[in-house]
Amino acid sequence: MNRTIQRVILATVTLGVAGAAFAQVKPEDEIRYRQSVMNVIGRNFGGVLGAMAKGERPYDQATAVKAATLVDMLSGLPANSFGPGTEKGAPTKADPKIWKDQAKFKAAYDKMVAEVAKLPAAAKDPAALKAQVAETGKACKACHDDFRLKEFRS
Ligand code: ASC
């Protein structure tokens, strides 16, 4: 067997194994994953940065930068867990519109990611943090208004 054929076989097997690994994630696990990450984002954005911006919690630079960096690292993850077949499988507030208007969902989601990316730098200064929390919050809210239901559905 020559090396080219060996490589083709190896690539095919690798892709097959990777594909099978992705396919094995059950919809309920994908739903749990995106909800878990959103929960951690919400606790750090609202509970830490939002509270500092509103003056409900004293500003502390190290705490703010840490929370902002964490939110920035996590912001893109749930986007990959709204794939085909994850519309249902566990109680979810994800609006079925997500799967019908993927371009609109992606645009709203990407706007959030772009605003979150500005948080770590803004978190170094209380006034800048307050301004960027406001902009980021608008992007969170816009996507939730359009694509998150008020109640869980099964
Ligand atoms: C949060 C959180 C949201 C958003 C939203 C922003 O911290 O849990 O859903 O911010 O309230 O308007």
Side-chain angles (χ1 to χ4, degrees):
M1 210 174 350
N2 73 31
R3 286 192 74 81
T4 307
I5 293 173
Q6 271 180 356
R7 282 188 186 135
V8 169
I9 291 171
L10 180 65
T12 307
V13 170
T14 305
L15 283 174
V17 170
F22 280 120
Q24 272 166 12
V25 180
K26 294 188 212 122
E28 67 185 86
D29 292 332
E30 208 66 294
I31 292 168
R32 188 177 304 136
Y33 178 80
R34 69 196 187 211
Q35 288 171 343
S36 305
V37 180
M38 285 292 193
N39 190 261
V40 180
I41 291 172
R43 286 283 288 265
N44 283 277
F45 179 69
V48 180
L49 302 175
M52 283 182 190
K54 282 192 243 163
E56 293 169 359
R57 179 181 175 138
Y59 173 76
D60 173 73
Q61 192 189 56
T63 307
V65 170
K66 188 176 170 191
T69 304
L70 183 62
V71 172
D72 186 30
M73 287 178 73
L74 297 179
S75 65
L77 299 183
N80 301 320
S81 293
F82 291 94
T86 66
E87 298 92 323
K88 54 186 169 115
T92 177
K93 291 183 188 172
D95 194 311
K97 275 194 288 176
I98 290 169
W99 290 271
K100 291 187 191 112
D101 198 346
Q102 297 229 345
K104 194 178 170 201
F105 175 64
K106 191 178 181 318
Y109 196 105
D110 288 351
K111 169 72 176 157
M112 177 277 288
V113 170
E115 292 303 335
V116 166
K118 300 176 196 165
L119 276 176
K124 291 180 192 162
D125 170 77
L129 175 65
K130 191 175 174 182
Q132 192 51 36
V133 163
E135 288 311 305
T136 308
K138 278 185 219 163
C140 298
K141 186 175 184 303
C143 199
H144 287 164
D145 284 351
D146 283 346
F147 294 108
R148 185 177 65 172
L149 303 174
K150 297 275 181 282
E151 305 292 338
F152 281 103
R153 61 179 178 84
S154 47

PDB file of all heavy atoms in Angstrom, residues 33-53:
ATOM      1  N   TYR A  33     -25.803  21.344  28.475  1.00  0.00           N
ATOM      2  CA  TYR A  33     -24.521  22.043  28.295  1.00  0.00           C
ATOM      3  C   TYR A  33     -24.744  23.528  28.037  1.00  0.00           C
ATOM      4  O   TYR A  33     -24.156  24.382  28.700  1.00  0.00           O
ATOM      5  CB  TYR A  33     -23.752  21.396  27.139  1.00  0.00           C
ATOM      6  CG  TYR A  33     -22.434  22.051  26.823  1.00  0.00           C
ATOM      7  CD1 TYR A  33     -21.309  21.782  27.570  1.00  0.00           C
ATOM      8  CD2 TYR A  33     -22.316  22.936  25.760  1.00  0.00           C
ATOM      9  CE1 TYR A  33     -20.091  22.380  27.275  1.00  0.00           C
ATOM     10  CE2 TYR A  33     -21.115  23.542  25.457  1.00  0.00           C
ATOM     11  CZ  TYR A  33     -20.005  23.257  26.219  1.00  0.00           C
ATOM     12  OH  TYR A  33     -18.804  23.854  25.925  1.00  0.00           O
ATOM     13  N   ARG A  34     -25.615  23.842  27.083  1.00  0.00           N
ATOM     14  CA  ARG A  34     -25.794  25.271  26.764  1.00  0.00           C
ATOM     15  C   ARG A  34     -26.427  26.009  27.941  1.00  0.00           C
ATOM     16  O   ARG A  34     -26.072  27.163  28.215  1.00  0.00           O
ATOM     17  CB  ARG A  34     -26.562  25.460  25.444  1.00  0.00           C
ATOM     18  CG  ARG A  34     -28.023  25.054  25.450  1.00  0.00           C
ATOM     19  CD  ARG A  34     -28.568  24.909  24.028  1.00  0.00           C
ATOM     20  NE  ARG A  34     -30.009  24.676  24.062  1.00  0.00           N
ATOM     21  CZ  ARG A  34     -30.675  23.964  23.154  1.00  0.00           C
ATOM     22  NH1 ARG A  34     -30.048  23.399  22.142  1.00  0.00           N
ATOM     23  NH2 ARG A  34     -31.974  23.818  23.248  1.00  0.00           N
ATOM     24  N   GLN A  35     -27.334  25.333  28.663  1.00  0.00           N
ATOM     25  CA  GLN A  35     -27.947  25.983  29.825  1.00  0.00           C
ATOM     26  C   GLN A  35     -26.911  26.211  30.932  1.00  0.00           C
ATOM     27  O   GLN A  35     -26.909  27.260  31.580  1.00  0.00           O
ATOM     28  CB  GLN A  35     -29.100  25.119  30.370  1.00  0.00           C
ATOM     29  CG  GLN A  35     -30.312  25.134  29.455  1.00  0.00           C
ATOM     30  CD  GLN A  35     -31.384  24.124  29.844  1.00  0.00           C
ATOM     31  OE1 GLN A  35     -31.120  23.190  30.611  1.00  0.00           O
ATOM     32  NE2 GLN A  35     -32.580  24.298  29.322  1.00  0.00           N
ATOM     33  N   SER A  36     -26.034  25.241  31.134  1.00  0.00           N
ATOM     34  CA  SER A  36     -25.012  25.358  32.185  1.00  0.00           C
ATOM     35  C   SER A  36     -24.080  26.525  31.900  1.00  0.00           C
ATOM     36  O   SER A  36     -23.760  27.317  32.791  1.00  0.00           O
ATOM     37  CB  SER A  36     -24.167  24.081  32.274  1.00  0.00           C
ATOM     38  OG  SER A  36     -24.972  22.966  32.461  1.00  0.00           O
ATOM     39  N   VAL A  37     -23.641  26.622  30.652  1.00  0.00           N
ATOM     40  CA  VAL A  37     -22.701  27.689  30.306  1.00  0.00           C
ATOM     41  C   VAL A  37     -23.388  29.046  30.416  1.00  0.00           C
ATOM     42  O   VAL A  37     -22.826  30.003  30.959  1.00  0.00           O
ATOM     43  CB  VAL A  37     -22.073  27.466  28.911  1.00  0.00           C
ATOM     44  CG1 VAL A  37     -21.100  28.585  28.575  1.00  0.00           C
ATOM     45  CG2 VAL A  37     -21.349  26.131  28.866  1.00  0.00           C
ATOM     46  N   MET A  38     -24.626  29.135  29.927  1.00  0.00           N
ATOM     47  CA  MET A  38     -25.384  30.388  30.049  1.00  0.00           C
ATOM     48  C   MET A  38     -25.546  30.761  31.524  1.00  0.00           C
ATOM     49  O   MET A  38     -25.500  31.941  31.891  1.00  0.00           O
ATOM     50  CB  MET A  38     -26.772  30.254  29.402  1.00  0.00           C
ATOM     51  CG  MET A  38     -26.751  30.271  27.894  1.00  0.00           C
ATOM     52  SD  MET A  38     -26.259  31.885  27.230  1.00  0.00           S
ATOM     53  CE  MET A  38     -26.712  31.668  25.523  1.00  0.00           C
ATOM     54  N   ASN A  39     -25.745  29.767  32.369  1.00  0.00           N
ATOM     55  CA  ASN A  39     -25.897  30.013  33.804  1.00  0.00           C
ATOM     56  C   ASN A  39     -24.623  30.626  34.389  1.00  0.00           C
ATOM     57  O   ASN A  39     -24.674  31.597  35.150  1.00  0.00           O
ATOM     58  CB  ASN A  39     -26.254  28.684  34.488  1.00  0.00           C
ATOM     59  CG  ASN A  39     -26.660  28.892  35.921  1.00  0.00           C
ATOM     60  OD1 ASN A  39     -25.861  28.701  36.830  1.00  0.00           O
ATOM     61  ND2 ASN A  39     -27.886  29.306  36.135  1.00  0.00           N
ATOM     62  N   VAL A  40     -23.480  30.074  34.026  1.00  0.00           N
ATOM     63  CA  VAL A  40     -22.203  30.606  34.530  1.00  0.00           C
ATOM     64  C   VAL A  40     -21.977  32.022  33.975  1.00  0.00           C
ATOM     65  O   VAL A  40     -21.533  32.920  34.691  1.00  0.00           O
ATOM     66  CB  VAL A  40     -21.021  29.668  34.175  1.00  0.00           C
ATOM     67  CG1 VAL A  40     -19.707  30.245  34.704  1.00  0.00           C
ATOM     68  CG2 VAL A  40     -21.249  28.279  34.749  1.00  0.00           C
ATOM     69  N   ILE A  41     -22.311  32.215  32.695  1.00  0.00           N
ATOM     70  CA  ILE A  41     -22.201  33.557  32.103  1.00  0.00           C
ATOM     71  C   ILE A  41     -23.084  34.540  32.870  1.00  0.00           C
ATOM     72  O   ILE A  41     -22.650  35.629  33.245  1.00  0.00           O
ATOM     73  CB  ILE A  41     -22.586  33.525  30.596  1.00  0.00           C
ATOM     74  CG1 ILE A  41     -21.526  32.767  29.790  1.00  0.00           C
ATOM     75  CG2 ILE A  41     -22.771  34.944  30.053  1.00  0.00           C
ATOM     76  CD1 ILE A  41     -21.906  32.518  28.326  1.00  0.00           C
ATOM     77  N   GLY A  42     -24.328  34.154  33.103  1.00  0.00           N
ATOM     78  CA  GLY A  42     -25.287  35.040  33.780  1.00  0.00           C
ATOM     79  C   GLY A  42     -24.853  35.395  35.198  1.00  0.00           C
ATOM     80  O   GLY A  42     -24.966  36.543  35.628  1.00  0.00           O
ATOM     81  N   ARG A  43     -24.342  34.393  35.921  1.00  0.00           N
ATOM     82  CA  ARG A  43     -23.897  34.647  37.303  1.00  0.00           C
ATOM     83  C   ARG A  43     -22.737  35.630  37.329  1.00  0.00           C
ATOM     84  O   ARG A  43     -22.641  36.475  38.209  1.00  0.00           O
ATOM     85  CB  ARG A  43     -23.478  33.333  37.969  1.00  0.00           C
ATOM     86  CG  ARG A  43     -24.646  32.437  38.344  1.00  0.00           C
ATOM     87  CD  ARG A  43     -25.354  32.924  39.600  1.00  0.00           C
ATOM     88  NE  ARG A  43     -24.541  32.697  40.775  1.00  0.00           N
ATOM     89  CZ  ARG A  43     -24.642  31.614  41.567  1.00  0.00           C
ATOM     90  NH1 ARG A  43     -25.535  30.688  41.310  1.00  0.00           N
ATOM     91  NH2 ARG A  43     -23.864  31.491  42.617  1.00  0.00           N
ATOM     92  N   ASN A  44     -21.853  35.523  36.358  1.00  0.00           N
ATOM     93  CA  ASN A  44     -20.684  36.396  36.348  1.00  0.00           C
ATOM     94  C   ASN A  44     -20.971  37.754  35.725  1.00  0.00           C
ATOM     95  O   ASN A  44     -20.466  38.770  36.187  1.00  0.00           O
ATOM     96  CB  ASN A  44     -19.510  35.703  35.646  1.00  0.00           C
ATOM     97  CG  ASN A  44     -18.877  34.671  36.559  1.00  0.00           C
ATOM     98  OD1 ASN A  44     -18.051  35.008  37.393  1.00  0.00           O
ATOM     99  ND2 ASN A  44     -19.323  33.421  36.470  1.00  0.00           N
ATOM    100  N   PHE A  45     -21.818  37.752  34.691  1.00  0.00           N
ATOM    101  CA  PHE A  45     -22.157  39.035  34.065  1.00  0.00           C
ATOM    102  C   PHE A  45     -23.105  39.838  34.963  1.00  0.00           C
ATOM    103  O   PHE A  45     -22.771  40.936  35.396  1.00  0.00           O
ATOM    104  CB  PHE A  45     -22.775  38.839  32.669  1.00  0.00           C
ATOM    105  CG  PHE A  45     -23.139  40.149  32.035  1.00  0.00           C
ATOM    106  CD1 PHE A  45     -22.146  41.023  31.625  1.00  0.00           C
ATOM    107  CD2 PHE A  45     -24.463  40.532  31.886  1.00  0.00           C
ATOM    108  CE1 PHE A  45     -22.474  42.276  31.076  1.00  0.00           C
ATOM    109  CE2 PHE A  45     -24.795  41.772  31.340  1.00  0.00           C
ATOM    110  CZ  PHE A  45     -23.798  42.632  30.942  1.00  0.00           C
ATOM    111  N   GLY A  46     -24.254  39.253  35.264  1.00  0.00           N
ATOM    112  CA  GLY A  46     -25.234  39.982  36.083  1.00  0.00           C
ATOM    113  C   GLY A  46     -24.817  40.071  37.544  1.00  0.00           C
ATOM    114  O   GLY A  46     -24.825  41.149  38.138  1.00  0.00           O
ATOM    115  N   GLY A  47     -24.436  38.922  38.099  1.00  0.00           N
ATOM    116  CA  GLY A  47     -24.158  38.840  39.529  1.00  0.00           C
ATOM    117  C   GLY A  47     -22.895  39.565  39.965  1.00  0.00           C
ATOM    118  O   GLY A  47     -22.812  40.056  41.088  1.00  0.00           O
ATOM    119  N   VAL A  48     -21.915  39.648  39.086  1.00  0.00           N
ATOM    120  CA  VAL A  48     -20.668  40.325  39.452  1.00  0.00           C
ATOM    121  C   VAL A  48     -20.567  41.681  38.726  1.00  0.00           C
ATOM    122  O   VAL A  48     -20.595  42.739  39.364  1.00  0.00           O
ATOM    123  CB  VAL A  48     -19.423  39.449  39.135  1.00  0.00           C
ATOM    124  CG1 VAL A  48     -18.149  40.185  39.522  1.00  0.00           C
ATOM    125  CG2 VAL A  48     -19.515  38.102  39.858  1.00  0.00           C
ATOM    126  N   LEU A  49     -20.494  41.654  37.400  1.00  0.00           N
ATOM    127  CA  LEU A  49     -20.247  42.896  36.649  1.00  0.00           C
ATOM    128  C   LEU A  49     -21.458  43.829  36.675  1.00  0.00           C
ATOM    129  O   LEU A  49     -21.310  45.045  36.865  1.00  0.00           O
ATOM    130  CB  LEU A  49     -19.848  42.558  35.208  1.00  0.00           C
ATOM    131  CG  LEU A  49     -18.612  41.656  35.079  1.00  0.00           C
ATOM    132  CD1 LEU A  49     -18.379  41.271  33.618  1.00  0.00           C
ATOM    133  CD2 LEU A  49     -17.370  42.336  35.655  1.00  0.00           C
ATOM    134  N   GLY A  50     -22.644  43.257  36.494  1.00  0.00           N
ATOM    135  CA  GLY A  50     -23.873  44.059  36.535  1.00  0.00           C
ATOM    136  C   GLY A  50     -24.054  44.693  37.908  1.00  0.00           C
ATOM    137  O   GLY A  50     -24.402  45.881  38.018  1.00  0.00           O
ATOM    138  N   ALA A  51     -23.806  43.910  38.950  1.00  0.00           N
ATOM    139  CA  ALA A  51     -23.961  44.419  40.319  1.00  0.00           C
ATOM    140  C   ALA A  51     -22.965  45.548  40.588  1.00  0.00           C
ATOM    141  O   ALA A  51     -23.314  46.556  41.208  1.00  0.00           O
ATOM    142  CB  ALA A  51     -23.780  43.277  41.317  1.00  0.00           C
ATOM    143  N   MET A  52     -21.741  45.424  40.084  1.00  0.00           N
ATOM    144  CA  MET A  52     -20.751  46.502  40.257  1.00  0.00           C
ATOM    145  C   MET A  52     -21.187  47.738  39.478  1.00  0.00           C
ATOM    146  O   MET A  52     -21.077  48.865  39.976  1.00  0.00           O
ATOM    147  CB  MET A  52     -19.372  46.049  39.762  1.00  0.00           C
ATOM    148  CG  MET A  52     -18.653  45.130  40.727  1.00  0.00           C
ATOM    149  SD  MET A  52     -17.013  44.716  40.054  1.00  0.00           S
ATOM    150  CE  MET A  52     -16.533  43.422  41.199  1.00  0.00           C
ATOM    151  N   ALA A  53     -21.677  47.522  38.265  1.00  0.00           N
ATOM    152  CA  ALA A  53     -22.099  48.657  37.434  1.00  0.00           C
ATOM    153  C   ALA A  53     -23.249  49.417  38.080  1.00  0.00           C
ATOM    154  O   ALA A  53     -23.334  50.641  37.965  1.00  0.00           O
ATOM    155  CB  ALA A  53     -22.503  48.158  36.045  1.00  0.00           C
TER     156      ALA A  53
END
